[in-house]
């Protein structure tokens, strides 16, 4: 795991998370440990309901572990952490704000003057190729455009870590591919630490520098796989033996967990 | 809005039905079928309107009532909006205030009239207080409901972007709840009119409610009905103005 400078950005130490609901107690995560290096692009894959969202929500500080701890730069996460910019599957754009106002939101919260906000927002709107839509309201945009606004909004706030929870799951295949390529370019240019959740093994292979496979619920890490496929991960790479071998390896691991989770559900 | 403009037929039909109604009413009255004290002809109401417009009385009464509604309603909304947002986002304050709101809410504005007269006399402040008491508690409940309808994901997103709890109230909860707050306030404006007319019917020296009550004292049924028509027209005009204002405030819903 010594991909970059070998320094842990985020440490998840023996985290357990229980939810109590009307149906009783649910253990979503059990003794999950995971280290994320500075500058790493970690993709987390796992069966539905294994606790991926729970994990990422705790890293963002929306929720706290039942036991264990999460460290960001060595300090425990105790509340909502703007250093971890979150990108939601449902975009979570403010419908009453224009594209530009949405992108400026984090800067406004930092009380940065208007003119400066505008310059920074313009830069990130440009980065996600949404020039000309600055004055549009979100409901006039397509899903892919909304997610680009959401990415620009997170980036404008200059977080050290970006957390993406199945950000492209609701998009069509073509749009998804465009956004994946954009995200890789942003990652290479801006040197963020990224945690990305997905159901798609192909997406994991295209984007990641490392892949963590989660077990069925209660979730923990089943396997960690370094992805050293060369960039750009074009059609040639995707047809290479190396790609196929990695895919098989992840597939086997995920499938075993999916089967396990189905056994649990059917009794 | 487009659809309404495309065909003017329904409007024409409405105008015809209204005209027909007035014509029949006029004929029935002129034929002497109804005692004019019981029900004056539309033309007599119209004549009364011309007279009262001429001497400025009608305008004065209408403006008096409108001013009272507006002042009372503005004060009530200006208190209820921030207070409601605050209550809607804090469980502690909600539990503190809940018993008082629950006790205030079922009280009809009419029931405040005796107390307000004892406290404030037949004054303008008394009129404003009736509008305030009649519309505050229901407005508050509307606003609390509206704040609860906000998608919690948006609050999370805002917090994740560095917003403080106060920022969230101002930047997320207020604008997010605004469409619902405004439609609630529209209903409340109707209630505010009910409040002021009843207050004026009981004790006042001017205003449409006073005009109606005074007309009744002199058996001027035409004045009574003119007052009622004037209330309808004023509320309708204010509704139109309110809608314009609403579109201004909610550009993103267009
Ligand atoms: N707030 C909550 N209250 C009760 N149970 C919860 C809560 N949040 C999550 N859970 C439960 O925890 C488990 C893990 O949920 P989570 O949303 O983290 O899964 P996931 O891996 O993100 O699934 P998906 O791939 O479908 O998004 C699920 O069984 C879910 O029912
Ligand atoms: Mg999830």
């Amino acid at each position: 795991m010594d991909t970059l400078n070998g320094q842990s950005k985020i440490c998840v130490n023996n985290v357990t998370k229980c939810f109590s609901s009307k149906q009783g107690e649910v253990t979503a995560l059990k003794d999950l440990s995971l280290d994320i290096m500075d500058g790493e692009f970690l993709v987390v894959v796992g069966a539905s309901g294994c606790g991926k969202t729970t994990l990422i929500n705790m890293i963002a500080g929306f929720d706290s572990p039942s036991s264990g701890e999460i460290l960001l730069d060595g300090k425990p996460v105790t509340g909502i952490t703007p250093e971890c910019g979150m990108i939601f599957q449902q975009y979570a754009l403010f419908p009453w704000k224009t594209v530009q106002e949405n992108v400026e939101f984090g800067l406004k919260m930092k009380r940065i003057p208007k003119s400066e906000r505008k310059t920074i927002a313009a830069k990130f709107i440009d980065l996600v190729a949404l020039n000309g839509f600055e004055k549009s309201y979100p409901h006039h945009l397509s899903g892919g455009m909304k997610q680009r606004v959401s990415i620009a909004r997170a980036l404008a706030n200059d977080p050290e870590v970006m957390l993406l929870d199945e950000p492209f799951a609701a998009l069509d295949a073509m749009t998804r591919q465009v956004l994946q390529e954009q995200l890789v370019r942003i990652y290479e240019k801006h040197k963020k630490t990224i945690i990305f959740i997905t159901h798609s093994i192909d997406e994991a292979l295209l984007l990641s520098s490392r892949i963590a496979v989660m077990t069925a619920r209660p979730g923990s890490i089943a396997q960690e796989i370094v992805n050293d496929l060369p960039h750009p991960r074009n059609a040639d790479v995707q047809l290479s033996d190396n790609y196929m071998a990695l895919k098989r390896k992840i597939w086997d691991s995920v499938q075993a967990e999916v089967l396990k989770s189905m056994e649990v559900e059917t009794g | 809005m487009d659809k309404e403009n495309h065909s003017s037929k329904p409007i024409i039909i409405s105008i015809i039905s209204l005209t027909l109604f007035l014509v029949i009413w006029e004929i029935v009255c002129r034929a002497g079928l109804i005692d004019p004290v019981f029900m004056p002809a539309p033309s007599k109401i119209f004549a009364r309107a011309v007279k009262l417009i001429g001497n400025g009385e009608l305008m004065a009464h209408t403006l008096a009532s409108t001013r009272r509604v507006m002042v009372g309603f503005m004060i009530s909304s200006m208190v209820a909006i921030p207070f409601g947002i605050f209550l809607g986002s804090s469980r502690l304050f909600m539990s503190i205030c809940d018993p008082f709101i629950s006790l205030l809410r079922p009280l009809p504005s009419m029931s405040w009239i005796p107390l307000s007269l004892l406290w404030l006399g037949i004054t303008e402040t008394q009129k404003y207080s009736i509008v305030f008491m009649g519309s505050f508690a229901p407005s508050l409940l509307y606003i609390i409901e509206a704040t609860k309808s906000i998608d919690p994901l948006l609050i999370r997103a805002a917090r994740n972007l560095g917003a403080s709890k106060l920022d969230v109230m101002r930047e997320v909860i207020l604008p997010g709840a605004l469409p619902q707050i405004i439609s609630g306030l529209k209903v409340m404006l109707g209630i505010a009119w009910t409040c002021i007319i009843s207050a004026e019917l009981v004790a006042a020296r001017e205003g449409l409610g006073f005009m109606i009550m005074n007309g009744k004292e002199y058996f001027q049924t035409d004045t009574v009905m003119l007052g009622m028509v004037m209330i309808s027209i004023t509320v309708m005009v204010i509704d139109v103005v309110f809608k314009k204002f609403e579109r201004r405030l909610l550009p993103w819903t267009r």
Side-chain angles (χ1 to χ4, degrees):
Chain A
M1 265 56 346
D2 49 358
T3 40
L4 283 148
N5 53 10
Q7 188 190 335
S8 283
K9 186 75 188 166
I10 296 168
C11 294
V12 180
N13 291 334
N14 289 313
V15 163
T16 297
K17 179 69 187 177
C18 304
F19 291 108
S20 40
S21 63
K22 282 177 211 129
Q23 289 83 22
E25 188 112 317
V26 178
T27 308
L29 300 176
K30 192 163 170 57
D31 286 329
L32 186 145
S33 292
L34 183 64
D35 273 9
I36 297 112
M37 302 299 144
D38 199 6
E40 175 168 51
F41 197 137
L42 179 80
V43 174
V44 179
V45 291
S48 188
C50 73
K52 303 182 293 293
T53 300
T54 306
L55 172 65
I56 214 167
N57 278 348
M58 287 192 299
I59 295 173
F62 294 142
D63 215 339
S64 50
S66 306
S67 71
E69 60 172 2
I70 296 174
L71 304 176
L72 173 66
D73 289 324
K75 289 184 283 289
V77 173
T78 50
I80 293 175
T81 47
E83 301 92 87
C84 298
M86 185 88 167
I87 286 159
F88 301 91
Q89 185 183 338
Q90 309 89 325
Y91 323 124
L93 298 177
F94 305 117
W96 52 87
K97 289 186 184 288
T98 60
V99 166
Q100 178 168 345
E101 289 165 341
N102 265 285
V103 175
E104 283 181 10
F105 187 84
L107 305 166
K108 192 175 178 189
M109 294 304 102
K110 286 185 191 156
R111 309 294 185 260
I112 289 173
K114 205 167 181 158
S115 57
E116 200 176 327
R117 284 197 321 243
K118 201 175 165 193
T119 321
I120 300 173
K123 184 176 127 194
F124 288 99
I125 289 171
D126 192 50
L127 183 75
V128 295
L130 278 174
N131 325 54
F133 292 95
E134 289 88 348
K135 299 277 172 285
S136 305
Y137 286 101
H139 73 273
H140 289 306
L141 306 178
S142 69
M145 289 158 91
K146 283 183 194 163
Q147 198 56 292
R148 270 142 66 193
V149 176
S150 159
I151 291 171
R153 182 176 70 175
L155 282 172
N157 210 24
D158 198 22
E160 291 166 26
V161 180
M162 300 232 318
L163 306 173
L164 301 97
D165 188 359
E166 301 189 44
F168 307 147
L171 305 176
D172 63 273
M174 211 100 85
T175 311
R176 191 182 310 141
Q177 195 185 336
V178 171
L179 286 190
Q180 284 164 348
E181 282 163 14
Q182 265 182 0
L183 185 65
V184 170
R185 264 190 285 122
I186 289 167
Y187 165 68
E188 286 172 345
K189 187 167 165 213
H190 291 263
K191 295 286 165 233
K192 305 276 179 199
T193 304
I194 296 184
I195 303 178
F196 186 109
I197 286 175
T198 182
H199 274 127
S200 156
I201 295 172
D202 280 311
E203 189 168 60
L205 284 167
L206 280 175
L207 298 174
S208 68
S209 60
R210 191 160 61 99
I211 297 169
V213 181
M214 281 180 70
T215 64
R217 202 179 68 222
S220 59
I221 302 300
Q223 199 179 10
E224 295 181 40
I225 298 157
V226 173
N227 178 359
D228 48 12
L229 292 169
H231 278 284
R233 292 177 182 160
N234 52 24
D236 286 340
V237 175
Q238 289 179 52
L239 291 171
S240 68
D241 295 341
N242 221 339
Y243 187 95
M244 289 303 167
L246 270 175
K247 189 168 175 176
R248 152 118 319 137
K249 193 166 156 190
I250 298 163
W251 180 245
D252 287 344
S253 179
V254 171
Q255 200 182 30
E257 294 304 329
V258 170
L259 286 175
K260 242 190 270 172
S261 78
M262 295 211 303
E263 275 163 33
V264 171
E265 251 147 54
T266 51
Chain B
M1 260 139 270
D2 286 338
K3 272 180 211 144
E4 281 166 34
N5 286 342
H6 275 316
S7 107
S8 51
K9 259 193 193 156
I11 297 171
I12 292 173
I13 294 173
S14 301
I15 291 173
I16 292 174
S17 81
L18 180 65
T19 317
L20 212 62
F21 172 76
L22 290 174
V23 167
I24 292 172
W25 179 1
E26 183 75 34
I27 291 171
V28 168
C29 288
R30 293 225 174 168
L33 295 175
I34 305 177
D35 178 356
V37 175
F38 182 80
M39 175 88 95
S43 60
K44 290 209 62 184
I45 299 175
F46 187 75
R48 174 70 66 181
V50 171
K51 191 170 162 232
L52 292 185
I53 290 170
N55 67 14
E57 267 185 51
L58 187 64
M59 208 55 196
H61 288 311
T62 309
L63 283 181
S65 296
T66 309
R67 188 192 62 236
R68 288 163 177 168
V69 167
M70 286 304 158
V71 172
F73 179 72
M74 291 278 182
I75 298 174
S76 145
S77 313
M78 270 156 49
V79 181
I81 292 174
F83 197 47
I85 288 177
F86 201 62
L87 285 176
S89 16
S90 159
R91 241 180 245 172
L92 174 67
F93 281 99
M94 190 61 214
S95 343
I96 293 174
C97 298
D98 195 39
F100 304 101
I101 300 170
S102 307
L103 279 174
L104 285 179
R105 195 180 58 108
L107 283 178
S109 65
M110 290 283 283
S111 63
W112 287 98
I113 295 178
L115 198 57
S116 71
L117 284 170
L118 285 174
W119 284 350
L120 303 162
I122 307 179
T123 57
E124 286 305 289
T125 320
Q126 181 254 342
K127 302 292 176 302
Y128 302 149
S129 75
I130 289 299
V131 175
F132 184 88
M133 291 320 293
S135 59
F136 181 68
S139 299
L140 200 60
L141 289 175
Y142 263 114
I143 290 157
I144 292 170
E145 270 316 301
T147 55
K148 286 189 179 152
S149 69
I150 306 271
D151 183 357
L153 196 68
L154 293 181
I155 296 175
R156 276 194 171 178
R159 300 274 284 135
N160 181 256
L161 289 161
S164 68
K165 289 213 167 119
L166 209 63
D167 288 331
V168 168
M169 287 186 206
R170 203 182 47 230
E171 296 282 339
V172 181
I173 298 179
L174 176 63
L178 207 52
Q180 254 185 291
I181 289 179
I182 288 179
S183 58
L185 291 185
K186 252 192 285 189
V187 177
M188 295 324 302
L189 195 56
I191 292 181
W193 272 95
T194 319
C195 299
I196 202 59
I197 297 299
S198 37
E200 288 172 352
L201 285 173
V202 173
R205 298 190 189 94
E206 55 173 347
L208 288 172
F210 164 79
M211 180 181 137
I212 290 171
M213 211 53 186
N214 206 42
K216 182 218 132 211
E217 297 296 325
Y218 295 99
F219 294 101
Q220 290 175 351
T221 316
D222 46 3
T223 307
V224 173
M225 295 184 94
L226 175 63
M228 293 169 70
V229 171
M230 222 34 225
I231 295 172
S232 290
I233 293 176
T234 315
V235 173
M236 270 155 41
V237 168
I238 290 176
D239 246 14
V240 171
V241 174
F242 207 101
K243 273 202 187 113
K244 283 258 153 65
F245 172 71
E246 176 178 8
R247 262 182 247 166
R248 278 268 171 96
L249 267 180
L250 309 172
W252 67 92
T253 55
R254 256 177 293 186

